[in-house]
Amino acid sequence: VQVVESGGGLVQAGGSLRLSCSVSGLTASIDSMGWYRQAPGKQRELVARTFSAGSATSYTAAVKGRFTISRDGAKNTIYLQMDSLKPEDTAAYYCNVRASTAAIWSYEYWGQGTQVTVSS
C-alpha cells in the first residue's frame, strides 16, 4: 500500500495551499481518510477527516471555516484546501488512511508527510 502526499510549500500568511493524498495498492475498503499535522516539539494532531459512510467530514476547531477536506472516491484521493493560512498552521502534514475488511480486520496507513510553512 502506498500513501503519497503532495502540495506542501512556503506561503505568506493569508495565502492558500492545496494538499493532495492518493492511496494505491489497497484491497480493503476505505473507512475514512484524513489529514494530521505535527509542528516541531508538539504532538501530532488531527486536522480534518472524511468518512466513506455518508461522506461526513470533521475538522479541528482551529481550522474550521478556513480548511476544506474533499475526496475523489474514484481515485482514492483526498484534498485539503487551506485558505487564510496563519503562521501557526506551519507543520508537517500527514495523510492517514483507515480501512477494514469485512468489518473485522482494521488497517491504518500513513503517508511520508509534506511540509507546510506559513511566513508572517
Side-chain angles (χ1 to χ4, degrees):
V1 176
Q2 281 194 317
V3 180
V4 180
E5 305 116 328
S6 63
L10 173 64
V11 65
Q12 287 189 331
S16 298
L17 282 174
R18 189 190 194 212
L19 305 183
S20 300
C21 169
S22 295
V23 57
S24 59
L26 184 63
T27 57
S29 298
I30 294 175
D31 296 319
S32 68
M33 295 179 69
W35 291 97
Y36 285 70
R37 67 185 180 186
Q38 187 168 20
K42 294 189 176 182
Q43 288 189 332
R44 190 173 296 189
E45 63 171 353
L46 175 65
V47 176
R49 180 170 293 281
T50 179
F51 298 85
S52 298
S55 300
T57 59
S58 65
Y59 299 89
T60 191
V63 307
K64 279 183 180 178
R66 299 189 298 120
F67 291 11
T68 303
I69 189 169
S70 60
R71 179 180 172 185
D72 184 336
K75 298 180 180 179
N76 281 348
T77 299
I78 60 169
Y79 308 94
L80 186 67
Q81 178 66 41
M82 304 185 294
D83 298 319
S84 302
L85 281 161
K86 304 175 181 181
E88 51 263 44
D89 294 318
T90 295
Y93 283 70
Y94 298 89
C95 181
N96 173 267
V97 180
R98 293 177 181 174
S100 63
T101 302
I104 298 175
W105 303 106
S106 298
Y107 308 90
E108 186 170 39
Y109 305 98
W110 292 91
Q112 79 287 354
T114 185
Q115 180 66 36
V116 171
T117 302
V118 184
S119 63
S120 57

